[in-house]
Amino acid sequence: MKKVILFMAITCSINSLFAQEKEAPKDGWTKKGKISLLFNQSAFSNWVAGGENNIAGNLGLNYDFNYVKGNLNWDNKIIAAYGLTKSKNSPFEKKTDDRFEFNSVVGKKASGYWFYSGFLNFKTQFTEGYKYGTDANGAEIRTSYTNFMSPANLSFGPGMLWKKSDNFKFNLAPATAKIVIVDKDLTLPNDAYFGVEEGKSTRFELGFNAAAYAKVNVMENVSMENILNLYSNYLEDPQNIDLDYTMNLVMAINKYLSANVSFQTIYDDNAFEGFQIREVFGLGVNYEF
């Protein structure tokens, strides 16, 4: 099922990249943002089929502030999200989302839709993350594994930007520096903690980065945002390409209410040897500014 969802999501992303946009850029700042709250709740009483009472909520921020001046483009995007779920039979609340990301790309027009560019990307999380298990008595326990700035990823480098509009663009950066930052007290033997050597707090990489963004209207009142990042480290196993893809589907009910679907998949063999997948669906309360 997860492979099917992944295939559909990436297919939508590819289709979106070839969508036609007709927006003309204007000089000055363009700012837009959205705050969304997703809420889910389930309750059971004498339910023969079984079930567990639970409550969950996700708060998200998606904010763009872009600048155009003649042949100069400067695009900035902040993505922040945090979510918790609590079930009756678990002693701990658990995160369903925890993300902070800042993207910035500046471009000087070269020809047509192409720009000479420089980009910066920063990613981390807000709060402590845990691995869960059970003790000798079968009680649920948790062990701290991640935290704010552990890990944090900072990437930057020169490249070429292709931009048709704010909703349809990609950037290629063949000389990208990447710094992985962690809490050295959480590092593990054999570079098992996000590729960072045990007892150290940083790891340096140099590689090729490709980033694409496409937002399209699938149909009336239904929009799909696609964010794709690919990275290959020249210094170690360049054939192992890191992937981070996010799809946000918003089905508007009215100005303030919508059904929101978020899908994210990450492949990074320094963090986990396999695909990490996150899916969130719920009724959203939105505020645009």
Side-chain angles (χ1 to χ4, degrees):
M1 183 61 181
K2 291 182 178 178
K3 292 181 178 180
V4 173
I5 294 174
L6 174 60
F7 174 77
M8 292 176 63
I10 294 178
T11 300
C12 290
S13 176
I14 294 172
N15 290 337
S16 297
L17 289 176
F18 290 95
Q20 298 298 313
E21 296 285 347
K22 298 181 180 180
E23 300 176 6
K26 298 179 181 179
D27 282 0
W29 285 99
T30 301
K31 303 175 184 178
K32 59 181 178 180
K34 177 183 289 187
I35 297 173
S36 61
L37 174 63
L38 299 182
F39 178 77
N40 296 279
Q41 184 264 341
S42 298
F44 304 88
S45 178
N46 302 320
W47 193 253
V48 176
E52 185 175 358
N53 294 356
N54 66 84
I55 186 170
N58 287 70
L59 181 65
L61 169 68
N62 194 322
Y63 182 59
D64 295 90
F65 50 109
N66 302 334
Y67 180 76
V68 176
K69 180 68 173 181
N71 291 330
L72 179 70
N73 273 257
W74 184 23
D75 296 348
N76 301 278
K77 187 178 190 69
I78 293 174
I79 302 172
Y82 192 77
L84 291 172
T85 183
K86 181 67 171 70
S87 58
K88 180 180 179 180
N89 296 324
S90 174
F92 310 114
E93 71 281 354
K94 298 177 181 179
K95 291 192 290 187
T96 56
D97 205 353
D98 187 359
R99 179 183 185 189
F100 176 84
E101 181 172 352
F102 172 67
N103 289 287
S104 184
V105 182
V106 62
K108 175 75 171 178
K109 184 178 283 290
S111 177
Y113 295 125
W114 285 99
F115 296 78
Y116 303 108
S117 69
F119 91 99
L120 181 145
N121 173 269
F122 175 76
K123 299 179 183 178
T124 188
Q125 62 187 52
F126 290 106
T127 63
E128 198 168 7
Y130 302 92
K131 285 189 172 182
Y132 293 88
T134 56
D135 62 16
N137 298 317
E140 187 176 32
I141 58 174
R142 63 183 184 181
T143 304
S144 179
Y145 186 69
T146 59
N147 210 335
F148 177 68
M149 295 293 291
S150 186
N153 293 307
L154 176 65
S155 302
F156 53 91
M160 294 294 294
L161 168 69
W162 188 95
K163 179 180 178 181
K164 192 171 185 180
S165 74
D166 286 344
N167 291 334
F168 186 23
K169 54 194 173 184
F170 63 85
N171 187 70
L172 305 175
T176 296
K178 180 179 179 181
I179 302 172
V180 182
I181 304 166
V182 302
D183 181 344
K184 64 182 180 180
D185 293 332
L186 295 175
T187 53
L188 299 168
N190 303 316
D191 303 345
Y193 191 77
F194 301 98
V196 180
E197 186 178 341
E198 186 176 14
K200 294 191 175 181
S201 58
T202 60
R203 168 188 169 94
F204 177 79
E205 299 179 1
L206 179 68
F208 183 94
N209 186 86
Y213 178 85
K215 183 178 180 181
V216 296
N217 293 320
V218 180
M219 60 183 67
E220 186 177 2
N221 297 327
V222 180
S223 64
M224 177 186 289
E225 180 184 53
N226 300 270
I227 305 169
L228 175 66
N229 281 279
L230 302 172
Y231 177 76
S232 173
N233 179 19
Y234 298 143
L235 306 180
E236 182 181 307
D237 298 325
Q239 73 278 6
N240 293 346
I241 298 175
D242 295 345
L243 177 149
D244 187 342
Y245 169 72
T246 300
M247 184 275 292
N248 296 312
L249 184 68
V250 179
M251 296 164 280
I253 299 171
N254 56 38
K255 183 178 180 180
Y256 298 107
L257 295 177
S258 66
N260 295 4
V261 180
S262 292
F263 172 87
Q264 183 179 14
T265 183
I266 295 173
Y267 180 84
D268 181 351
D269 60 346
N270 288 321
F272 176 75
E273 293 187 0
F275 282 99
Q276 304 173 59
I277 293 178
R278 178 182 63 86
E279 305 163 41
V280 179
F281 172 78
L283 180 66
V285 179
N286 306 299
Y287 174 71
E288 297 186 1
F289 58 97

